[in-house]
Amino acid sequence: MSSRPSAEHSRILILDFGAQYSQLIARRVREGHVYCELHPADMPLSAIEEFKPDGIILSGGPSSVLDHDSPDLDPGVLELGVPILGICYGLQLLVHRLGGRIESADDREYGRVRLKIERPDPLFEGLAADAEHVVWMSHGDRVLGLPEGMRVIASSGGSPFAAVRSERSPFWGVQFHPEVVHTEGGTRILENFVHRICGCAPSWTMASFAEQAIASIRAQVGSGRAVCGLSGGVDSSVAAALVHRAIGDQLTCIFVDHGMMRKNEREEVEGLFRETLGVRLVSVDASERFLSALAGVSDPEKKRKIIGNLFIEVFEEEAARIGEVDFLVQGTLYPDVIESVSVKGKSVTIKTHHNVGGLPEEMSLALVEPLRELFKDEVRAVGRELGLPARVLGRHPFPGPGLGIRILGEVTRERLEPLREADAIMIEEIRAAGLYDEIWQALTVFLPVESVGVMGDSRTYENVVAVRCVTSTDAMTADFAHLPHEVLARISNRIINEVSGINRVVYDISSKPPATIEWE
């Protein structure tokens, strides 16, 4: 099932040549309320024609157009008659294809440089022509000579052809990256291309998406029945709410409590979905079963595998009790779809279930993936349209194995309970300080290390809890959050005073890289 907008919506096609910023291009276009899709550069011409783009963006990439095996462009793309914007490698490929000259530059440009607009152009509408603009460069090759009919519209110290356009065809190219935040006016440049040059209307809204998605889900499911593995996270919650809005009681959600959830998480999920939203919900307490399977296991990967396999087993058992089921709802997002396709154009692979690492293919259920066209911020916007509470939509990422990988070593109830209490205190305090939404992820880790302490007049020899809060935009890199000392002091004091078995709290000030966000 696809929620791709109907023909009345404008659409931009982005051809990916392997740039690390390709997803950012798509996000910037979507932020302008125009639908776009990101596809490998070798997307067949027939598929491009079927997509019917109002404009095409050629991304950057790590290759050189001078290499014999570099990613190329189907010549037919240049004959479609739609506006094309080449970015970095995309510019060089466009110039190369049209007969210009490219060279491997001795004076390479990386990072911030100053761009000078040489002449007025719709691409730079709204940017001061008499000022220099800071842009972000990241290239080795550069344009040495333009093809006939193409002219310069902006330059930089190291790139006399920093931005160009064709006078014969609707082709533009920029050597810099307008999609990154370091480029001043970059969003405006992309909006100018999409809105002014391509003529795209800003009609891609999450209200219109939700309306169309509901219709698509109804058409796909018909009179069938669907199940959804509900984790309580943003993706599965929005997917479940959207499908329920479409097919009502034909959907049954299954929530498997493996005993490693956060404090009161099961009750919160049941309250929201069963009582507030009226969703059919099967809630299973399988905590004893999971803890028994984890007894004596300390290796992190073995723990993940045990939890994932057992989740599948429990989910299958509960799905079988429901009766005949035809569809499986998954909260697959667009980044998952993009990341499963290489620049060379390998086939798309279905995302494994984000809660545990893969629901079984042998269930032979057709997939319903209503969010597979959306980025995370768009998913949250759909959730708001559906009336989901901000507390759910703003929830930090939480791993499928839960607290099981936040206990170093064996997972036991004696370790889970104090960790669950300490975690709840930490979350409560950062919320009270108004810091929750500024933090990408906050967690506590149980360290099976006993240290000496003093409580009252008694000597203690108890365990340590580590608190970790990080800031990030995409989890690829992260920095530790610089929490105020008074907040850290309250967290530490409360955990030590209120949680039995903990006499020491430490704060993790590692960044990623070299450390990962989770400890296991």
Side-chain angles (χ1 to χ4, degrees), residues 112-118 127-135 154-158 182-185:
R112 293 176 175 87
V113 302
R114 296 193 173 277
L115 182 80
K116 179 183 178 183
I117 298 175
E118 300 289 350
L127 275 67
D130 57 350
E132 290 188 334
H133 303 271
V134 174
V135 298
S155 63
S156 71
H182 312 296
T183 293
E184 295 176 356

Side-chain angles (χ1 to χ4, degrees), residues 5 31 45 69 83 88 99 171 207 251 258 274 302 329 358 427 452 488 493 508 515:
E31 287 167 2
L45 182 61
D69 60 347
C88 196
F171 301 156
L251 170 70
H258 51 35
R274 183 180 287 155
K302 287 184 179 178
V329 178
I427 294 292
V452 176
L488 289 172
N493 288 339
D508 184 347

Side-chain angles (χ1 to χ4, degrees), residues 221 226-229 236 239-240 243 247 251-252 315 327-332 353 359 365-370:
V221 175
V227 291
C228 175
S236 69
V243 174
I247 63 173
L251 170 70
T252 301
F315 185 92
F327 297 92
L328 172 65
V329 178
Q330 288 201 144
T332 309
H353 190 277
L359 288 177
L365 302 179
L367 287 178
V368 178
E369 297 176 302

Side-chain angles (χ1 to χ4, degrees), residues 19 23 55 59 95-96 117 194 252 258 279 362 383 508:
Q23 283 196 33
S59 85
V95 168
H96 182 64
I117 298 175
V194 170
T252 301
H258 51 35
V279 176
E362 60 268 21
D508 184 347

Side-chain angles (χ1 to χ4, degrees), residues 14-31 36-39 57 59-60 87 177-180 190 333-341 372-378 440 473-476:
I14 303 164
L15 294 179
D16 179 18
F17 290 90
Q20 59 179 317
Y21 304 129
S22 292
Q23 283 196 33
L24 278 179
I25 302 173
R27 292 193 60 138
R28 297 292 177 260
V29 174
R30 294 278 187 93
E31 287 167 2
C36 68
E37 288 188 12
L38 178 64
H39 286 272
I57 298 176
S59 85
I87 296 175
H177 289 274
E179 69 272 23
V180 303
L190 288 173
L333 304 192
Y334 196 43
D336 304 310
V337 177
I338 294 171
E339 288 162 9
S340 67
V341 185
R372 65 178 286 115
E373 311 289 343
L374 304 184
F375 288 102
K376 193 80 167 189
D377 53 337
E378 293 174 319
W440 171 269
T473 56
D474 53 13
M476 298 300 292

Side-chain angles (χ1 to χ4, degrees), residues 76-123:
V77 173
L78 304 181
E79 305 297 327
L80 294 176
V82 300
I84 296 176
L85 173 64
I87 296 175
C88 196
Y89 180 88
L91 158 70
Q92 295 161 15
L93 183 59
L94 192 61
V95 168
H96 182 64
R97 269 285 177 191
L98 294 173
R101 290 184 297 155
I102 306 295
E103 70 168 350
S104 180
D106 295 325
D107 184 17
R108 300 186 174 192
E109 286 184 304
Y110 292 103
R112 293 176 175 87
V113 302
R114 296 193 173 277
L115 182 80
K116 179 183 178 183
I117 298 175
E118 300 289 350
R119 54 175 52 89
D121 190 88
L123 193 66

Side-chain angles (χ1 to χ4, degrees), residues 88-391:
C88 196
Y89 180 88
L91 158 70
Q92 295 161 15
L93 183 59
L94 192 61
V95 168
H96 182 64
R97 269 285 177 191
L98 294 173
R101 290 184 297 155
I102 306 295
E103 70 168 350
S104 180
D106 295 325
D107 184 17
R108 300 186 174 192
E109 286 184 304
Y110 292 103
R112 293 176 175 87
V113 302
R114 296 193 173 277
L115 182 80
K116 179 183 178 183
I117 298 175
E118 300 289 350
R119 54 175 52 89
D121 190 88
L123 193 66
F124 297 133
E125 184 72 27
L127 275 67
D130 57 350
E132 290 188 334
H133 303 271
V134 174
V135 298
W136 185 263
M137 292 281 192
S138 180
H139 67 98
D141 294 352
R142 67 179 179 186
V143 177
L144 184 63
L146 292 178
E148 190 175 347
M150 188 168 272
R151 67 179 183 179
V152 176
I153 56 175
S155 63
S156 71
S159 294
F161 307 103
V164 301
R165 70 166 294 181
S166 172
E167 296 176 325
R168 299 178 176 179
S169 302
F171 301 156
W172 281 258
V174 294
Q175 186 61 75
F176 56 91
H177 289 274
E179 69 272 23
V180 303
V181 295
H182 312 296
T183 293
E184 295 176 356
T187 299
R188 182 62 182 269
I189 291 171
L190 288 173
E191 287 179 349
N192 284 339
F193 176 73
V194 170
H195 296 302
R196 293 178 59 83
I197 294 172
C198 299
C200 295
S203 58
W204 172 249
T205 65
M206 290 307 96
S208 66
F209 167 85
E211 182 180 344
Q212 185 171 337
I214 288 169
S216 296
I217 294 165
R218 286 173 179 160
Q220 181 189 10
V221 175
S223 59
R225 300 177 69 185
V227 291
C228 175
L230 190 63
S231 70
V234 177
D235 304 342
S236 69
S237 295
V238 174
L242 187 59
V243 174
H244 178 259
R245 182 72 63 89
I247 63 173
D249 286 349
Q250 291 169 253
L251 170 70
T252 301
C253 290
I254 299 174
F255 179 81
V256 178
D257 181 358
H258 51 35
M260 290 160 280
M261 301 291 183
R262 281 179 155 160
K263 186 176 181 180
N264 300 326
E265 189 157 9
R266 181 180 174 187
E267 292 79 5
E268 290 175 4
V269 170
E270 290 175 345
L272 173 61
F273 283 89
R274 183 180 287 155
E275 298 168 19
T276 303
L277 300 179
V279 176
R280 285 180 180 266
L281 176 65
V282 175
S283 182
V284 188
D285 183 356
S287 55
E288 288 296 338
R289 192 166 165 182
F290 277 86
L291 288 175
S292 295
L294 290 167
V297 179
S298 297
D299 180 79
E301 288 308 309
K302 287 184 179 178
K303 288 194 289 186
R304 287 178 182 273
K305 188 173 182 179
I306 289 170
I307 295 169
N309 289 340
L310 189 51
F311 180 95
I312 291 171
E313 191 177 309
V314 175
F315 185 92
E316 282 186 303
E317 291 171 1
E318 296 304 321
R321 291 191 180 98
I322 295 171
E324 186 175 343
V325 176
D326 312 285
F327 297 92
L328 172 65
V329 178
Q330 288 201 144
T332 309
L333 304 192
Y334 196 43
D336 304 310
V337 177
I338 294 171
E339 288 162 9
S340 67
V341 185
S342 78
V343 68
K344 296 297 183 183
K346 293 182 180 177
S347 60
V348 175
T349 56
I350 295 171
K351 174 198 176 190
T352 56
H353 190 277
H354 76 285
N355 188 48
V356 292
L359 288 177
E361 295 178 1
E362 60 268 21
M363 291 182 75
S364 299
L365 302 179
L367 287 178
V368 178
E369 297 176 302
L371 310 177
R372 65 178 286 115
E373 311 289 343
L374 304 184
F375 288 102
K376 193 80 167 189
D377 53 337
E378 293 174 319
V379 171
R380 290 192 169 101
V382 170
R384 287 191 289 271
E385 292 288 339
L386 297 172
L388 291 178
R391 190 179 182 92

